[in-house]
Amino acid sequence: DGGITQSPKYLFRKEGQNVTLSCEQNLNHDAMYWYRQDPGQGLRLIYYSQIVNDFQKGDIAEGYSVSREKKESFPLTVTSAQKNPTAFYLCASSWNSGANVLTFGAGSRLTVL
Amino acid sequence: DQQVKQNSPSLSVQEGRISILNCDYTNSMFDYFLWYKKYPAEGPTFLISISSIKDKNEDGRFTVFLNKSAKHLSLHIVPSQPGDSAVYFCAASVLVRDDKIIFGKGTRLHILP
């Protein structure tokens, strides 16, 4: 079955540590996205990538980094510079950027202790 | 500045009755609108969409209405069922510009027995 796999589902991190969230898709989609969900805040775009080896900052990119070395993979690193990293992180993909239906992964919940 | 607004954080509806979720937008360039449904600790799933050339789109129990002059859209669910209890996100984008999708903050729908 085609879809998006995010791992780990739950992750705990100590303050000052970087952590990388994995996102893999086998849908052959060109575009991939990272969103963050906080209570009452909806979905806020962190980074997105329209093609391999290219990515753009979203609305809340500070303290995060990404790479897109392969079409299938779009890992997100939450760095120690992110002031409030505890959140639910969602990866998504679509055929191309813009007005296309996004397919989301199941999410990763990061808790900073 | 919030371009897509869902002003009701939550809504409670009796099972079997109609649920109406509202969404307002400010960007008159938006020409494609989507609704997503999200259960706790899961990724959102696509529900229904509408292009700005239409004013209504129906899919089973779900109907989306678009009022371009008022910059308003609504999602009607009838009849409401217990499995409809979830958070609903309204989203919009500018199709011709291949822009990223902008999400509202979501409305939590509770279906009461």
Side-chain angles (χ1 to χ4, degrees):
Chain A
D1 280 342
I4 297 182
T5 302
Q6 288 188 240
S7 63
K9 190 162 179 66
Y10 299 96
L11 185 62
F12 296 88
R13 186 194 95 178
K14 292 182 180 178
E15 278 193 32
Q17 287 181 336
N18 291 357
V19 62
T20 297
L21 306 179
S22 169
C23 177
E24 302 280 331
Q25 55 102 355
N26 60 3
L27 299 165
N28 202 30
H29 284 171
D30 289 317
M32 297 187 74
Y33 310 79
W34 274 104
Y35 288 89
R36 169 180 171 144
Q37 185 190 13
D38 296 282
Q41 292 291 328
L43 302 177
R44 293 185 291 168
L45 183 63
I46 303 172
Y47 267 99
Y48 65 106
S49 168
Q50 295 171 303
I51 56 171
V52 175
N53 291 323
D54 185 53
F55 49 82
Q56 287 82 41
K57 292 181 179 180
D59 302 316
I60 54 165
E62 186 177 348
Y64 299 97
S65 66
V66 293
S67 63
R68 186 87 187 276
E69 296 176 3
K70 297 186 301 182
K71 186 175 185 177
E72 304 79 24
S73 179
F74 192 40
L76 174 74
T77 297
V78 185
T79 75
S80 56
Q82 167 51 231
K83 291 186 173 63
N84 187 17
T86 294
F88 189 57
Y89 290 88
L90 287 159
C91 180
S93 70
S94 66
W95 286 112
N96 52 53
S97 64
N100 280 281
V101 174
L102 298 180
T103 301
F104 282 88
S108 294
R109 178 162 296 282
L110 172 64
T111 302
V112 174
L113 305 172
Chain B
D1 181 33
Q2 240 187 306
Q3 297 187 65
V4 178
K5 301 178 184 178
Q6 293 178 257
N7 292 320
S8 298
S10 67
L11 175 69
S12 294
V13 174
Q14 205 78 33
E15 181 179 352
R17 306 293 289 266
I18 183 171
S19 296
I20 300 176
L21 295 96
N22 293 303
C23 178
D24 297 296
Y25 60 95
T26 56
N27 188 345
S28 57
M29 294 292 291
F30 285 147
D31 55 7
Y32 190 65
F33 305 89
L34 310 94
W35 285 94
Y36 283 82
K37 174 180 178 179
K38 184 183 180 302
Y39 293 118
E42 293 183 12
T45 55
F46 169 73
L47 199 55
I48 193 169
S49 64
I50 187 167
S51 163
S52 60
I53 61 173
K54 293 185 167 185
D55 54 20
K56 176 183 174 181
N57 188 25
E58 192 172 349
D59 183 2
R61 295 186 299 114
F62 303 93
T63 303
V64 56
F65 294 92
L66 175 63
N67 182 334
K68 289 187 290 292
S69 60
K71 296 193 183 71
H72 177 84
L73 63 154
S74 60
L75 174 68
H76 293 212
I77 306 173
V78 55
S80 299
Q81 298 175 353
D84 296 330
S85 293
V87 176
Y88 290 80
F89 291 100
C90 173
S93 80
V94 182
L95 182 64
V96 295
R97 279 214 311 254
D98 204 27
D99 268 355
K100 59 185 185 290
I101 294 175
I102 307 295
F103 285 86
K105 291 187 176 183
T107 297
R108 182 175 298 279
L109 176 64
H110 300 270
I111 303 302
L112 307 171

